[in-house]
Amino acid sequence: MNKNKTRDQIEDKYKWDLSVLYASDDCWEKDYRKVEKGLPPLLEFKGALADSGKLGQFMQLYINHSIVRENLYVYAHVRFFEDTRNAVYEEMKGRVELLVSKISAETVFIKKELSSLSLDDIDTMIHENSQLAGYRFFLKSYARYKPHILSEETETVLAELEIALKKPDDVFSAFNDNNISFEEFEHKEEKIHLSHAKYAQLLEFPDRVLRQKVFDYYYRPFRQNIDVLANTYAANVLANIKLAKVRNYASILEMSLFPDYVPNKVFSNLVEVAKENIAVISEFNALKQEELGIETLHFYDNYVPLVKDVDKKYSYEEARTLVRTALEPLGTEYLRKYDATVSARVIDVFESPGKRSGAFSWGSYASRGLIFLNYTEKFSDVSTFAHEFGHCLHRDYSIENQPYIYYQNPIFLAEIASTFNEALLFDHMSKIAETREEKKFYLYHNMKRIEATFYRQTMFANFEKDIHEMAESGKVLTSKSITGIYRKNLEAYLGNGMVIDEQLNYEWARIPHFYNAFYVYKYATSLSAAIALSERVTSGEKGAVEDYLAFLGAGSHKEPLEILKDAGVDLTGKEAYEVTVNKLRKLLKEYKSL
């Protein structure tokens, strides 16, 4: 394990080799100049994209330019993330961000001209120029925006207002990340200084009096600033509603679902299934109360592990072996890609001074998927590795099977492969557990994953829907009305047996995702799809593995829901969500049997 080593002290085998992107910074500079010089030729096509011959020429030029631009962007950012104190890469990152912003501003004509094409126009152009046939879905995806694209003057104004419209999020982030002030308090003669991270850690402590104090003191600054936070969030909601109206959408929900081709019934089915199956959460609450030996269950009890943490450390090599074994149901083709990725030095493993926190997977079409970790040998790190590996191979399968314009996975599908890997890992760990307590540990954390991702994120989404509908109906959003709506959602989703303390009424005020309207529901749909897909694979259903691997390579070449249907999951109905609920019931039953 890395013991606070500097990056130079870490063995090369634990650091990614970014020559898959660029052999040197000088090579990056050459491509930077190439992209700068490549902008004017693109601009020469302004006003000509309705011509089939010109469009064919433009598309090839645009794609080649975009591939290089993406590679530039990724390299500068991942270099900076290696050590955020490095001024060279900070400047490089800033330069490419400005370049990309300039290109976006000067090529707005692309969206305007392509969205003005009708479906008949597209078919005619493809008939005139057969090389456009491969762009059919790409072009139609623009054409469907035609009712929502405004005059050039209005589009320019909206583009200029974009920074201002995002200010509520900036205000919230400034408060939540930098300016929030938690009161110091004392517990057992020890002074406690809270932070967001420490709050989450302390809620897992066995000392219930401490948890109660932590819960109370954590929400004090939110309660004290609730009017400011309510006005900030209300400004965001009202901007969303006005923008949806200006762009001719029936609601902000419709506007948010539109890019992913998602009909409202997908959202409503998710909410209905969660609400119809709150009984399983009530059963889980009863289990927590019994295992913790407490008379009443409060939210500050909700994160205390029912089973003592498994006292195991997993070296990075052990994690790789564990995850590989867990993924064996996917067959030799997937495992071959797994092995190739592990040996290709595209994974940055250990933390080091200056390295960005967290984990992610990224990459470019010109290279391949990369994995960024801060590995510390906990089981959660093993799970994170499996998660990010899912993202990585999802990208690599797409690169291998799709042209550039279709290789990027839409957000609606992006979390499925990562969550799928976690599902297989948890099932595997439960099977190989050496003791009863260890098995209960993995079962419990698997249940918590479903509770937090399916039920909690759906509750958040339901709250967003209620708030936006309230504002769309002309009612005023105040701290009292917003808090009242949130309280109703808490009562609907937390299940019987959970005491909802007053502090929790203000939880909405600390959720950053609410400033990106109707994003959180995708966590719940992704988990449901992943569980449904993994259940097909692990049950040995005929064709399940082949369907899943085809899903990984599908990119965005057709509508997301159609891609999922091809893989055997239909999110337009309720069945996939019910599979998730039944998975939780099954885990509960197994846990109680031990």
Side-chain angles (χ1 to χ4, degrees):
M1 176 185 174
N2 170 51
K3 298 291 185 182
N4 297 318
K5 292 180 179 179
T6 64
R7 189 165 186 85
D8 290 342
Q9 294 171 327
I10 297 173
E11 292 180 69
D12 285 346
K13 66 180 180 179
Y14 297 121
K15 296 183 290 190
W16 54 24
D17 176 8
L18 294 180
S19 64
V20 295
L21 291 160
Y22 286 106
S24 66
D25 292 354
D26 288 340
C27 293
W28 186 89
E29 290 289 350
K30 289 177 183 177
D31 265 0
Y32 184 90
R33 292 191 292 272
K34 180 179 177 181
V35 168
E36 278 186 313
K37 292 176 181 177
L39 179 57
L42 289 176
L43 301 182
E44 291 177 7
F45 287 88
K46 186 174 181 179
L49 299 187
D51 180 285
S52 60
K54 293 284 188 181
L55 180 59
Q57 296 171 29
F58 170 79
M59 285 301 299
Q60 196 55 56
L61 193 66
Y62 177 73
I63 288 169
N64 292 338
H65 189 263
S66 298
I67 289 172
V68 179
R69 185 172 76 236
E70 179 190 49
N71 216 44
L72 284 173
Y73 194 90
V74 173
Y75 180 84
H77 282 76
V78 295
R79 275 295 190 204
F80 174 68
F81 294 153
E82 291 176 349
D83 187 348
T84 57
R85 304 167 302 177
N86 190 315
V88 172
Y89 293 119
E90 183 177 19
E91 181 187 14
M92 187 181 285
K93 180 175 78 75
R95 285 171 61 202
V96 76
E97 287 174 348
L98 286 173
L99 178 60
V100 168
S101 178
K102 177 185 177 183
I103 293 169
S104 297
E106 294 190 26
T107 56
V108 291
F109 72 90
I110 300 172
K111 183 177 182 180
K112 179 68 176 175
E113 292 185 34
L114 294 185
S115 63
S116 68
L117 300 174
S118 68
L119 297 181
D120 287 340
D121 291 335
I122 293 169
D123 288 337
T124 299
M125 293 172 75
I126 291 174
H127 180 74
E128 294 172 350
N129 183 359
S130 60
Q131 80 172 107
L132 295 176
Y135 305 130
R136 185 187 297 273
F137 183 71
F138 173 82
L139 294 173
K140 287 187 174 181
S141 68
Y142 273 99
R144 64 193 291 264
Y145 277 92
K146 188 173 184 177
H148 310 295
I149 300 298
L150 310 173
S151 68
E152 187 170 346
E153 181 182 3
T154 305
E155 287 291 348
T156 301
V157 171
L158 289 176
E160 291 173 349
L161 283 173
E162 186 174 0
I163 292 176
L165 293 173
K166 290 182 177 178
K167 275 300 170 185
D169 187 14
D170 293 339
V171 172
F172 169 78
S173 296
F175 170 77
N176 197 51
D177 298 338
N178 304 316
N179 299 113
I180 195 166
S181 179
F182 294 107
E183 293 179 45
E184 179 182 277
F185 65 92
E186 192 171 289
H187 181 70
K188 294 183 178 178
E189 300 182 354
E190 178 186 356
K191 290 183 177 180
I192 307 292
H193 303 267
L194 277 181
S195 66
H196 294 305
K198 197 160 190 177
Y199 168 72
Q201 293 170 357
L202 292 176
L203 282 189
E204 295 184 2
F205 272 43
D207 186 333
R208 196 175 192 221
V209 174
L210 172 62
R211 295 198 308 272
Q212 189 172 5
K213 286 183 180 179
V214 166
F215 185 71
D216 179 42
Y217 276 88
Y218 181 77
Y219 278 103
R220 288 190 181 189
F222 294 103
R223 295 171 71 182
Q224 290 162 358
N225 293 278
I226 198 64
D227 289 332
V228 173
L229 292 168
N231 278 294
T232 303
Y233 182 50
N236 184 76
V237 170
L238 294 173
N240 290 339
I241 292 169
K242 179 57 70 175
L243 190 59
K245 187 175 182 180
V246 167
R247 288 207 175 277
N248 303 311
Y249 290 97
S251 66
I252 176 60
L253 175 60
E254 181 184 288
M255 187 173 82
S256 301
L257 300 180
F258 188 82
D260 290 320
Y261 298 80
V262 174
N264 283 16
K265 67 178 178 179
V266 169
F267 187 94
S268 60
N269 281 341
L270 170 67
V271 168
E272 286 173 17
V273 172
K275 284 185 172 179
E276 289 165 358
N277 291 278
I278 292 300
V280 69
I281 291 297
S282 299
E283 185 181 349
F284 194 20
N285 287 342
L287 175 66
K288 295 171 198 170
Q289 187 175 338
E290 180 182 350
E291 292 280 276
L292 293 173
I294 53 180
E295 290 185 8
T296 56
L297 181 73
H298 293 252
F299 197 77
Y300 51 77
D301 301 316
N302 201 43
Y303 296 97
V304 183
L306 301 189
V307 187
K308 186 178 179 182
D309 200 355
V310 174
D311 188 20
K312 283 187 177 182
K313 297 289 184 183
Y314 300 90
S315 70
Y316 174 62
E317 285 73 18
E318 288 172 328
R320 290 189 331 197
T321 301
L322 267 178
V323 173
R324 188 187 191 280
T325 305
L327 299 176
E328 283 180 355
L330 289 175
T332 56
E333 178 190 329
Y334 190 93
L335 293 179
R336 185 168 62 249
K337 289 183 180 296
Y338 181 96
D339 294 337
T341 302
V342 165
S343 61
R345 279 195 58 203
V346 293
I347 307 172
D348 208 71
V349 181
F350 294 120
E351 59 185 346
S352 58
K355 185 176 178 180
R356 191 189 118 156
S357 62
F360 63 82
S361 177
W362 203 6
S364 72
Y365 191 76
S367 60
R368 61 179 300 164
L370 304 169
I371 296 175
F372 182 95
L373 304 171
N374 279 280
Y375 194 84
T376 62
E377 299 192 340
K378 298 177 182 177
F379 175 72
S380 60
D381 296 313
V382 180
S383 180
T384 297
F385 174 72
H387 180 103
E388 300 305 340
F389 217 103
H391 281 308
C392 183
L393 288 200
H394 197 181
R395 177 181 295 274
D396 286 350
Y397 266 93
S398 293
I399 290 173
E400 184 178 305
N401 289 277
Q402 299 297 332
Y404 174 76
I405 57 169
Y406 297 134
Y407 101 91
Q408 294 198 39
N409 302 298
I411 297 297
F412 186 77
L413 302 180
E415 289 297 329
I416 294 175
S418 54
T419 312
F420 178 98
N421 278 14
E422 286 186 88
L424 290 191
L425 176 64
F426 272 99
D427 285 348
H428 174 66
M429 297 306 293
S430 296
K431 290 174 184 175
I432 66 168
E434 296 176 353
T435 66
R436 173 175 170 271
E437 289 301 299
E438 188 177 339
K439 188 177 184 70
K440 289 175 72 174
F441 171 84
Y442 294 118
L443 290 171
Y444 166 72
H445 282 280
N446 207 354
M447 289 188 286
K448 286 297 292 181
R449 192 169 68 100
I450 295 174
E451 178 191 52
T453 308
F454 183 77
Y455 282 96
R456 188 162 166 78
Q457 299 302 327
T458 301
M459 180 186 77
F460 287 164
N462 201 153
F463 165 74
E464 288 185 282
K465 180 176 179 290
D466 291 345
I467 287 296
H468 282 86
E469 286 180 350
M470 180 180 177
E472 285 166 341
S473 71
K475 294 179 181 177
V476 179
L477 297 182
T478 65
S479 58
K480 183 178 180 180
S481 62
I482 296 172
T483 300
I485 291 291
Y486 195 75
R487 176 76 186 199
K488 288 180 180 177
N489 277 276
L490 290 171
E491 292 170 350
Y493 282 89
L494 290 189
N496 295 334
M498 176 69 74
V499 176
I500 305 173
D501 296 290
E502 184 188 0
Q503 292 92 329
L504 201 59
N505 296 342
Y506 304 97
E507 184 183 40
W508 65 266
R510 75 174 188 89
I511 309 297
H513 290 82
F514 290 157
Y515 289 84
N516 185 357
F518 299 106
Y519 181 88
V520 293
Y521 87 94
K522 298 175 187 178
Y523 290 120
T525 57
S526 293
L527 177 71
S528 296
I531 289 177
L533 290 167
S534 65
E535 292 288 288
R536 288 191 71 213
V537 168
T538 54
S539 68
E541 185 177 331
K542 186 177 180 180
V545 171
E546 292 77 10
D547 288 345
Y548 180 69
L549 297 184
F551 161 78
L552 293 181
S556 56
H557 81 288
K558 61 166 66 174
E559 295 180 21
L561 289 174
E562 292 302 312
I563 289 173
L564 271 179
K565 282 181 182 178
D566 291 343
V569 175
D570 184 1
L571 286 184
T572 61
K574 293 185 175 183
E575 184 180 353
Y577 307 130
E578 289 166 347
V579 168
T580 300
V581 172
N582 289 332
K583 177 73 173 181
L584 180 53
R585 287 197 180 97
K586 179 182 175 184
L587 293 168
L588 269 167
K589 183 178 180 180
E590 189 173 359
Y591 186 100
K592 290 179 177 180
S593 70
L594 294 174

